[in-house]
Amino acid sequence: MHVSLALMFVYTTGLLYQCSSINPAPENCLNYESTYHITRACDCVVYQSYGLNNGIFTSPNFPQFYPSNINCILYSFIGDASEIIELTFMSFDLKMPDPSGRCGDYVRIFQNLERPEVNEHSQYDLEFCGGYSSIPKTVFSAGRSLVLEFHSDFRVGKPGNYTGFKGNYQFLDKRNYLITGSRVEGHKCMFDFHSNISHHSGRFFSPGYPQDYKPNSSCRFRFFARLGERVRLLFTNIQLHHIDASCRDSPDVITVYDGTNESAPVIGEFCGVHNAEEVISTGTNLFVAFTCDDRNQKQGFAASYEFINKISTQNNGVRSIKNDSNSAMPTSSSQFQCNENMDSRSHRNGTISSPFYPEPYPSNIRCRYIFTGGGRERIQLRFLHMDLHVPREPTSAVDCKEADSVSVYIVINGKTEVLNTWCGRKLPPMLMSSQHNMIVEFQSLHSSKSVTGFKAQYSFVTNFGIHEGQQDNRGMCVFNYQSSVKSSGEITSPNYNGLYPRNTECHYLFYGRGKERVQIIFVDFDVDGLTPRCEESTYSDYVSFSNFAETEDRKMTRLCGQPPAEKREIWSDGPFFRVIFKSNEMYDSTGFQAYYQFKGPQDEHEEEGNPHGTIIERDRKRNSGNTAYNSSERKHMAGYLTLASMTSLTVACLTLGLFLLPPRLA
């Protein structure tokens, strides 16, 4: 039934202050060559741009119940030639769909219109009903026009108990969403970006951004800096289909390669939802690949790029560090300068210390040590000495508030987060950054002739502190273990003997021969998480297992927390096996140490009748006297690996660090 003009007038009077030229009436429906509004018996409301303006739109009677029997209301949004439209729903309450999923009352969105009208051939892009949690909160047009259609079913008697919707519209400059590179001829979605005298920075996006990307989209972006420059990317918004699993198992993923194509080392891999993710090349080129499947499309990503000569420390989070103490503390005097910037190109490793170490340090100072790397580099920090003045011996970080202290900051999702604060004489655990940057801040409040300060050793590492296995450049943190190279050995979480880094994912891939299986026994395990499911919804870090290369194995149970001994022995079904470690943004712990063994049927048969323990345990006893290396003598393994050349690898030495594990932080 056609909604009355009187009703339309009542419902639109509240909108006229936003667009005073709007005259809501059926004759205002845009009908260049269309009879849609006549066939559908529509009333129309038009929102015309007056230069990037915005306003409110609502259903009839909002926030009261909307009437039934509204056959059709068309909300037409018309921008200038260089504009697109953004609709953001702030409230949404329509009748729920029936058991078959059909919407009786509905909102339909036409977001890909060539001109501001719909006709009998126009296909709507979105249809939704129900509650706020079930709808997309924001939608965008492809061009200057967007039409929203609202309909409510015929119902006898009173209207339903539904309040309808309220939203905000905004006209945006679509030039802000144009890719500033050049399209490669012959390719639908490949762009090149070259540094030159007049071009130093720009933007690039997933296809169709800010609209959702299309099914089976595939795009490539190639960046070419000049000699001496590097490429810096900042993904300001990433909205991809999210699953509670590894990024390598996700069908929608952004992969960043440190070179000109997909054969270069991977230095960035993003899936799910992220903000302000930074990637910096080690050389003059970067290659970005975006792929998705045919389901669950999301908004995609927006990113900026910059060709840089020198990494700036002005945007790496230093300015966002908050401190409640006196901000006027000096950082230098005529006798010392204690702020330092360490760039991995010139300082790959070294030491930092308090002023005048090992002599007493001055009072009332603040020193900042800023570390910035590139590629897949992480900063590993080991404290060698700690002797800071405290009014009383601390029992927790809270007690350091009025003491001289060292704080360590890491960057996660573009925000600088304090990892922890330490004071007194107790050595902090070995630490690792979550990205290629870290900040250490030393603050002294007191003067004492009896304290000697602190000293710490830093290293920019690319192996995540994992010292056994062949690192695979096809992933950020991927290590291969082959039976043809070594039949048994050790695997550890990243930065083991210290705290594992936050927001980190590592893969351990085992390649056996013939009918071999992989046995893994965890001898140390402390991964922060809530058992028994170890799910992302409970903010759990976890270790998972799979007999498949690119999908999660649902019959294998995740491990987190401190599992009992009977759950610490894991077997593969066949010669291939994958172990995945994944940490979130919030917590950390000491991680795991495990021994692996490739076993054929004969090995398993012999072990069944062996009263002296497993092969792994016997090997540990036999080899225990043969290695006496400390951490500085460990042999780091690196290089490329392809499936075709796995047999060409050499055996690496198995070494164990001789450092005591620090107590777990609260």
Side-chain angles (χ1 to χ4, degrees), residues 111-164:
Q111 58 184 149
N112 293 292
L113 301 174
E114 293 184 4
R115 56 186 182 183
E117 67 167 343
V118 292
N119 58 44
E120 58 275 14
H121 303 296
S122 301
Q123 176 63 46
Y124 59 86
D125 300 287
L126 300 169
E127 179 184 87
F128 34 88
C129 57
Y132 186 73
S133 62
S134 64
I135 70 163
K137 308 304 182 289
T138 304
V139 295
F140 296 86
S141 67
R144 63 180 299 188
S145 305
L146 183 147
V147 172
L148 179 153
E149 179 181 353
F150 176 51
H151 166 84
S152 66
D153 264 352
F154 177 80
R155 287 187 288 271
V156 178
K158 296 181 179 180
N161 299 324
Y162 307 102
T163 58

Side-chain angles (χ1 to χ4, degrees), residues 12 39 60 111 120 136 171 211 231 233 256 273 344 366 475 529 533 569 579 587 589 598-599:
T12 56
T39 304
Q111 58 184 149
E120 58 275 14
F171 295 101
Q211 285 191 326
V231 186
L233 305 182
V256 183
V273 179
S344 62
R366 180 183 296 133
R533 300 184 66 87
E569 182 176 351
V579 178
Y587 304 112
S589 193
F598 292 98
K599 292 188 175 182

Side-chain angles (χ1 to χ4, degrees), residues 421-481:
T421 298
W422 294 271
C423 54
R425 294 180 174 84
K426 189 174 183 180
L427 282 177
M430 185 167 63
L431 306 172
M432 181 172 285
S433 63
S434 301
Q435 294 184 344
H436 52 260
N437 35 35
M438 175 186 278
I439 303 161
V440 178
E441 183 177 78
F442 168 63
Q443 177 177 283
S444 74
L445 302 174
H446 309 278
S447 178
S448 173
K449 295 182 179 180
S450 62
V451 296
T452 55
F454 81 93
K455 182 178 181 180
Q457 182 182 60
Y458 70 87
S459 298
F460 289 91
V461 300
T462 58
N463 66 353
F464 293 83
I466 297 172
H467 300 291
E468 186 168 344
Q470 183 69 29
Q471 190 164 7
D472 192 332
N473 284 327
R474 294 172 298 176
M476 275 287 289
C477 181
V478 179
F479 291 82
N480 294 306
Y481 304 85

Side-chain angles (χ1 to χ4, degrees), residues 346-498:
S346 54
H347 302 86
R348 289 206 58 80
N349 52 70
T351 60
I352 59 172
S353 60
S354 51
F356 307 124
Y357 177 86
E359 301 298 324
Y361 49 80
S363 63
N364 198 37
I365 62 167
R366 180 183 296 133
C367 300
R368 287 176 180 167
Y369 311 83
I370 302 169
F371 302 89
T372 307
R376 62 161 70 112
E377 289 176 336
R378 299 291 183 267
I379 298 93
Q380 189 175 54
L381 189 68
R382 184 192 302 274
F383 284 86
L384 307 176
H385 180 81
M386 189 82 165
D387 181 19
L388 306 182
H389 177 79
V390 289
R392 60 185 182 280
E393 191 62 28
T395 58
S396 69
V398 177
D399 293 331
C400 294
K401 187 174 182 180
E402 297 180 358
D404 299 347
S405 62
V406 172
S407 298
V408 177
Y409 297 85
I410 56 175
V411 179
I412 295 180
N413 265 339
K415 297 180 180 179
T416 303
E417 308 280 353
V418 61
L419 192 58
N420 214 325
T421 298
W422 294 271
C423 54
R425 294 180 174 84
K426 189 174 183 180
L427 282 177
M430 185 167 63
L431 306 172
M432 181 172 285
S433 63
S434 301
Q435 294 184 344
H436 52 260
N437 35 35
M438 175 186 278
I439 303 161
V440 178
E441 183 177 78
F442 168 63
Q443 177 177 283
S444 74
L445 302 174
H446 309 278
S447 178
S448 173
K449 295 182 179 180
S450 62
V451 296
T452 55
F454 81 93
K455 182 178 181 180
Q457 182 182 60
Y458 70 87
S459 298
F460 289 91
V461 300
T462 58
N463 66 353
F464 293 83
I466 297 172
H467 300 291
E468 186 168 344
Q470 183 69 29
Q471 190 164 7
D472 192 332
N473 284 327
R474 294 172 298 176
M476 275 287 289
C477 181
V478 179
F479 291 82
N480 294 306
Y481 304 85
Q482 295 180 83
S483 171
S484 60
V485 174
K486 192 172 184 181
S487 62
S488 64
E490 177 194 53
I491 62 172
T492 65
S493 52
N495 200 47
Y496 183 72
N497 278 333

Side-chain angles (χ1 to χ4, degrees), residues 49 78-84 143-144 172-175:
S49 172
I78 308 169
D80 293 338
S82 62
E83 293 178 341
I84 60 174
R144 63 180 299 188
L172 306 174
D173 190 341
K174 72 177 181 182
R175 291 170 294 188

Side-chain angles (χ1 to χ4, degrees), residues 514-532:
K515 295 183 179 180
E516 287 181 335
R517 298 167 68 201
V518 183
Q519 180 195 32
I520 295 175
I521 296 178
F522 290 94
V523 294
D524 184 23
F525 196 101
D526 189 356
V527 174
D528 191 276
L530 185 62
T531 57

